[in-house]
Amino acid sequence: MEILKVFDTMPYGPAPESPAAANAWLDEHKRKFGLFIDNTWKFPKSAEYTPSLNPATGDKLADSIQAGPEEVDEAVAAARQAFEEWSHTPGSVRARYLYAIARNVQKHHGLLALLESMDNGKPLRESRDIDVPLLARNFYYHAGWAQLMETEFRDYQPVGVVGQILPWNFPLLSLGLKVAPALAMGNTVVLKPNSFTRLSALLFAEVITEAGLPPGVVNILTGDSSIDDMIVTHPDIDKIAFSGTIEAGRNLRRQMAGSGKKLSLLLSGKSPFMVFDDADLDSAIEGVVDSIWLNQGQVQCAGSRLLVQENIVDDFITRLKTRMSKLRVGDPLDKCIDIGAIIDQSHRDTIDQWVQIGKKEGGSVFQPDIRIPEKGCFYPPTLFTGLEPASEIVQEDILGPVLVSLTFRSPAEAVEMANNTRYGMAASIWSQSIDLALDVASKLKAGTVWVNSTNLFDPASGFGGYRESGFGREGGKEGLYEYLRVLRRDRPRPKYQPSDIDEGKPVWGDHTPSQLTMPLEGWEDKKGIPRIYRTPKMYIGGKQVLPDRTYTYAVLSPSGEVVGMVGDGNRKDIRDAVEAAYAASMANPGWATSKGYKRSQYLYFIAENIYARRDDFVRRIMDMTGRSQTSAQAEVELAVEQLFTYAGWADKFGGSLQETTLRGVTIAVNEPVGVIGIACPDEFPLLAFISLLAPAIARGNTVVIIPSMKHPLFVADFYQVLDTSDVPPGVVNIVTGHRDHLMKTLIQHEAVDAVWYFGTEEGSYHVEYESAVNIKRSWVNYGIQPDWTDLKESSGQEFLYQATEVKNIWIPTGG
């Protein structure tokens, strides 16, 4: 009995890792680091230095330079010069470099992990067993894509010089997710680590130098957030990849508006951890520990909202509290601890402020009676119960070791609660019923869903968010498109700047309804008798409806003749159309969950009925545009061809099986984005309209579409095509009127998930700027129209990519 008692009461002893190797490396550099530009260390004479502190002790580790505008210019110039050769280096050669980097990461595994934990505060076992292995895996994985680029991406080219801004929570892992695909696809990089965690990126500079990477391909700048702004706004940066807070992402989106630069954002999250009553509760408890207390909860995909089925909640919470009392908080270099140090005292204070808010909101807080080091930035694991779903602490991302628990009764309620957030980074589902788990997974608005698992990562599986968690993916084949541009299209460089706005110029999107049209040529027929004009209505929810305020405007031919009247829509018309589109998307069954085969049939029916009425469409196009009959006929034929193309894609772009390291399956599902607002150009009014509408609805989206303001009369015939094609109500909603005015309302509507704008440079700027409010996906043309008559340019992968969200579902198998 005494022996059993000893085992029950035996305390964990310390198992510290020696910091000697990291200290030796720091001492070798005299604990002062320059900027890594063109494969050399730069030490500007007038530079200021900023300390890097160990969050577990508060001790200074080293000083690094605060870069300025001149250094940013120098780094971008080096990257631009290197790009000219690197982008033309054969993919097989780039693959060799990436392979060499991966091997070097493995050779210096111990030093990288040690320095990461000292600089970041995370437990050494996480840096050693997760971060550094995934860093190496990223370069191995993308070496393969570099080798295959010429065949698999033959229609694409590198973006150019890429600015990459890292977060402080996963410095090395985030570096791998960004740098490896950029280099694989032939881009060069200007990298900016977070001001809290600079050192591992500087060590990585030596890793790539040792691997022989050519000068200028990767450049590393250190400094505070002012450097972020310099990189983002630099005219010779072609793309930005950013990970950080939603506030910073929103500001960055505005800074880049109208610039023609590509952007991907990996932002905040408030992910649900869902436990059903048939789950293996002990496994789920360990899942909670891994989900919310990994890296002290400083994880964008942390399962910080615990949703437990009501009939097991008491048992589950009791078990969870017991497990929390066994967690160990302490020195990150101790291999026996579970939770390390918070990144900085200011962030620790922020976490504690959120805990106080939770208490004021009426939540019951539990913090286990465990030892917390007195020195350093540490915070205990924290559990809240008894709060409402709308509570601030339930809705907002804390980015700390704070878990909030709620209950649900049914799977439907669980899905509703899980989606009751403005974020959509990840989710975790625990159930012994694979049918239930996959059904719930399909309904969640999240970029990654783990089944009976959590926080699984692999570069073969794209990672990124829905909604305000950002857009774009890191990893997987889908992540490579972030670093590519269509071969025949260089980066747009719009000249429009907001400073061009004069005080007397109307505000973008403002619109006064048209006044009465005075009698012009065309009002009367050849006998002098007034013509009878049919005024097309709006098409909302499957019905032709009058504009809210019954305003109309005249449509003129190129010679100034009145050829018809259409409704002049307003904000209320857009709201009605969005409501109809949202209802059609969310119905059970709805358009979003309909089979691809069925969607293809509707597209074929639309094509068939347009072809049957082709003479009507040809006359409309001739009347509106003044083009020849031959030209109008060609436009109608191409529109039919586009419909057939996307009818073909409707059931052939569903996703793929990702070959990750998981024992099981990881499925990449191409889901519809949701409700898409589309503004069409004036060029080729029917063809452009169809070219934008078809990919959106083919992939399960519902749309609110604004046809050409100058040439909208074809919609009178198109309404009837939709009716005779039996397209479900609300799938296609058409509002005529002032393009920018209606688009501004679409951007501001919370139920609109993405906007596509093919209009002016000025409009493109404002669409991107306004979409920053809720990080809405936007696709604009910067005033440059594709050749709509060239179906290689006006259809295909780019359009399908814009019409989908990629969700990766991880399903472990076996014992």
Side-chain angles (χ1 to χ4, degrees):
M1 293 296 294
E2 289 300 318
I3 294 177
L4 290 177
K5 185 177 180 180
V6 168
F7 275 105
D8 287 339
T9 59
M10 182 184 297
Y12 286 97
E17 177 82 9
S18 171
N23 284 327
W25 180 77
L26 293 169
D27 290 338
E28 182 183 334
H29 287 270
K30 300 180 181 180
R31 298 190 181 251
K32 281 189 180 293
F33 291 89
L35 308 171
F36 186 74
I37 300 174
D38 221 14
N39 278 22
T40 60
W41 293 106
K42 305 285 185 177
F43 293 88
K45 292 182 180 179
S46 59
E48 297 180 0
Y49 285 85
T50 304
S52 291
L53 305 179
N54 185 332
T57 63
D59 298 336
K60 184 169 80 169
L61 295 171
D63 289 309
S64 54
I65 286 178
Q66 170 68 39
E70 291 182 4
E71 291 75 45
V72 173
D73 287 343
E74 186 179 357
V76 174
R80 177 58 63 189
Q81 183 175 355
F83 175 74
E84 299 307 316
E85 183 173 347
W86 182 252
S87 61
H88 292 97
T89 300
S92 58
V93 175
R94 293 200 303 272
R96 297 289 184 94
Y97 283 112
L98 267 68
Y99 173 79
I101 293 171
R103 293 291 291 126
N104 263 14
V105 168
Q106 291 179 318
K107 292 174 186 176
H108 301 293
H109 186 145
L111 178 57
L112 285 161
L114 185 60
L115 189 66
E116 185 82 330
S117 287
M118 292 172 65
D119 198 26
N120 171 274
K122 66 174 60 182
L124 179 64
R125 63 183 178 84
E126 293 179 10
S127 298
R128 179 195 63 206
D129 299 340
I130 300 174
D131 295 30
V132 178
L134 280 173
L135 175 65
R137 166 87 172 120
N138 264 287
F139 283 93
Y140 277 127
Y141 176 79
H142 287 98
W145 278 122
Q147 184 81 25
L148 301 172
M149 181 180 175
E150 278 84 355
T151 56
E152 295 300 309
F153 298 98
R154 63 176 64 89
D155 294 329
Y156 292 87
Q157 62 182 328
V159 169
V161 177
V162 179
Q164 299 181 327
I165 301 171
L166 304 183
W168 49 257
N169 53 353
F170 287 94
L172 278 176
L173 177 54
S174 183
L175 180 152
L177 283 167
K178 288 178 168 60
V179 173
L183 300 192
M185 296 296 101
N187 303 280
T188 55
V189 169
V190 176
L191 185 75
K192 161 60 171 56
N194 190 275
S195 58
F196 285 137
T197 51
R198 310 173 179 201
L199 298 181
S200 57
L202 298 174
L203 174 56
F204 180 77
E206 296 191 346
V207 169
I208 61 176
T209 302
E210 187 178 88
L213 192 70
V217 174
V218 174
N219 307 272
I220 302 175
L221 300 173
T222 55
D224 57 25
S225 59
S226 66
I227 309 303
D228 301 359
D229 296 340
M230 296 177 199
I231 294 173
V232 167
T233 58
H234 198 288
D236 214 20
I237 291 284
D238 301 301
K239 181 218 161 38
I240 293 291
F242 174 83
S243 294
T245 65
I246 191 170
E247 292 78 12
R250 185 176 290 120
N251 180 58
L252 188 150
R253 167 74 284 182
R254 288 171 176 152
Q255 288 178 301
M256 291 178 61
S259 65
K261 301 176 184 179
K262 293 194 71 172
L263 172 65
S264 55
L265 296 174
L266 191 67
L267 305 177
S268 306
K270 194 72 175 179
S271 300
F273 188 103
M274 310 168 72
V275 183
F276 290 88
D277 59 7
D278 65 342
D280 178 339
L281 297 190
D282 290 331
S283 295
I285 292 293
E286 292 307 309
V288 171
V289 172
D290 290 339
S291 181
I292 183 58
W293 293 303
L294 175 77
N295 195 17
Q296 301 73 254
Q298 300 170 134
V299 186
Q300 287 125 318
C301 58
S304 52
R305 287 187 298 145
L306 174 62
L307 308 180
V308 185
Q309 199 149 14
E310 194 172 83
N311 56 320
I312 62 167
V313 67
D314 292 340
D315 182 21
F316 191 84
I317 295 298
T318 299
R319 295 189 192 202
L320 180 58
K321 289 180 177 179
T322 300
R323 181 66 178 89
M324 290 173 68
S325 68
K326 306 294 185 183
L327 293 172
R328 291 150 292 164
V329 180
D331 179 8
L333 299 191
D334 186 341
K335 294 185 283 289
C336 287
I337 65 101
D338 299 296
I339 300 176
I342 302 300
I343 186 65
D344 179 75
Q345 183 62 42
S346 62
H347 187 58
R348 186 200 178 280
D349 293 342
T350 299
I351 294 169
D352 191 61
Q353 289 171 11
W354 278 113
V355 170
Q356 302 312 314
I357 289 172
K359 291 178 180 179
K360 291 179 181 178
E361 290 184 310
S364 298
V365 63
F366 172 77
Q367 293 176 328
D369 185 16
I370 56 178
R371 178 182 173 276
I372 305 295
E374 295 182 2
K375 184 180 180 181
C377 299
F378 295 91
Y379 202 85
T382 303
L383 170 66
F384 272 97
T385 56
L387 286 167
E388 297 296 324
S391 299
E392 192 174 7
I393 196 173
V394 175
Q395 290 293 322
E396 295 302 325
D397 183 22
I398 297 173
L399 209 61
V402 181
L403 176 66
V404 179
S405 180
L406 303 169
T407 64
F408 63 87
R409 296 180 182 178
S410 66
E413 185 181 15
V415 170
E416 184 178 0
M417 292 178 69
N419 288 335
N420 180 29
T421 174
R422 60 194 177 111
Y423 302 111
M425 185 62 74
S428 187
I429 302 168
W430 293 76
S431 169
Q432 292 294 81
S433 170
I434 193 66
D435 291 341
L436 172 64
L438 292 181
D439 181 58
V440 170
S442 70
K443 297 173 181 175
L444 296 178
K445 295 293 186 182
T448 299
V449 180
W450 296 289
V451 174
N452 293 325
S453 56
T454 192
N455 280 341
L456 299 177
F457 305 102
D458 190 89
S461 175
F463 186 78
Y466 284 33
R467 297 171 169 171
E468 294 189 32
S469 287
F471 47 78
R473 294 292 181 266
E474 295 187 339
K477 187 175 183 179
E478 59 267 35
L480 297 175
Y481 290 106
E482 301 300 327
Y483 295 96
L484 294 168
R485 195 180 298 281
V486 177
L487 190 60
R488 58 189 170 274
R489 199 177 306 151
D490 293 330
R491 172 192 155 186
R493 293 184 178 272
K495 297 180 180 179
Y496 175 82
Q497 294 296 325
S499 57
D500 295 342
I501 301 175
D502 299 323
E503 282 190 17
K505 190 174 180 180
V507 175
W508 181 82
D510 282 1
H511 171 61
T512 301
S514 303
Q515 303 300 306
L516 293 175
T517 303
M518 298 305 292
L520 297 170
E521 231 181 286
W523 277 111
E524 299 174 340
D525 63 17
K526 294 180 180 179
K527 297 180 181 181
I529 300 173
R531 296 179 183 271
I532 299 176
Y533 288 106
R534 176 188 169 203
T535 302
K537 301 176 182 177
M538 310 292 182
Y539 190 77
I540 297 174
K543 298 178 180 179
Q544 296 186 44
V545 298
L546 290 170
D548 171 55
R549 298 294 176 89
T550 62
Y551 286 109
T552 58
Y553 70 92
V555 179
L556 307 180
S557 70
S559 62
E561 295 182 357
V562 177
V563 292
M565 306 285 289
V566 293
D568 195 358
N570 65 12
R571 296 174 65 90
K572 178 62 165 57
D573 298 310
I574 290 292
R575 290 198 299 269
D576 291 344
V578 172
E579 184 177 337
Y582 183 81
S585 177
M586 300 301 292
N588 188 18
W591 187 253
T593 56
S594 62
K595 301 298 182 185
Y597 168 75
K598 291 189 68 175
R599 295 197 299 270
S600 73
Q601 293 302 298
Y602 287 118
L603 286 161
Y604 283 129
F605 294 157
I606 294 172
E608 177 185 318
N609 286 313
I610 286 180
Y611 188 76
R613 303 184 54 144
R614 59 190 180 279
D615 291 342
D616 295 333
F617 284 99
V618 167
R619 281 194 298 272
R620 292 284 191 186
I621 293 170
M622 292 171 62
D623 289 344
M624 293 185 299
T625 65
R627 289 174 15 222
S628 69
Q629 182 176 357
T630 301
S631 175
Q633 286 174 337
E635 179 173 352
V636 175
E637 291 286 347
L638 287 170
V640 171
E641 185 72 14
Q642 287 284 48
L643 287 162
F644 266 72
T645 295
Y646 289 109
W649 277 117
D651 56 359
K652 300 177 184 65
F653 199 70
S656 62
L657 186 67
Q658 308 281 46
E659 297 190 71
T660 67
T661 53
L662 176 72
R663 180 184 177 184
V665 293
T666 306
I667 306 169
V669 183
N670 288 336
E671 294 191 328
V673 175
V675 177
I676 300 180
I678 302 175
C680 298
D682 292 328
E683 295 83 355
F684 297 96
L686 173 65
L687 177 57
F689 179 93
I690 295 297
S691 298
L692 294 170
L693 173 69
I697 63 174
R699 294 309 314 156
N701 302 283
T702 56
V703 302
V704 177
I705 188 164
I706 307 163
S708 162
M709 182 179 177
K710 192 175 180 182
H711 309 304
L713 290 180
F714 70 90
V715 297
D717 303 294
F718 191 72
Y719 298 156
Q720 297 172 46
V721 166
L722 292 174
D723 289 337
T724 54
S725 302
D726 297 324
V727 175
V731 172
V732 178
N733 304 275
I734 305 173
V735 181
T736 55
H738 189 277
R739 179 177 56 211
D740 292 350
H741 174 62
L742 299 177
M743 175 51 68
K744 187 174 184 178
T745 305
L746 282 169
I747 296 170
Q748 294 170 346
H749 202 298
E750 291 290 335
V752 175
D753 299 290
V755 288
W756 300 356
Y757 177 88
F758 283 73
T760 63
E761 277 192 14
E762 179 184 1
S764 297
Y765 166 84
H766 286 286
V767 168
E768 290 190 328
Y769 187 92
E770 297 284 345
S771 68
V773 173
N774 58 1
I775 317 296
K776 196 186 301 291
R777 281 183 61 172
S778 59
W779 183 28
V780 303
N781 69 327
Y782 305 105
I784 303 170
Q785 295 299 335
D787 182 354
W788 296 105
T789 63
D790 181 355
L791 298 192
K792 289 184 178 180
E793 186 172 344
S794 61
S795 64
Q797 293 284 333
E798 183 180 16
F799 289 76
L800 292 167
Y801 171 79
Q802 294 293 342
T804 55
E805 288 273 23
V806 181
K807 175 192 288 181
N808 282 281
I809 304 174
W810 295 67
I811 311 166
T813 60

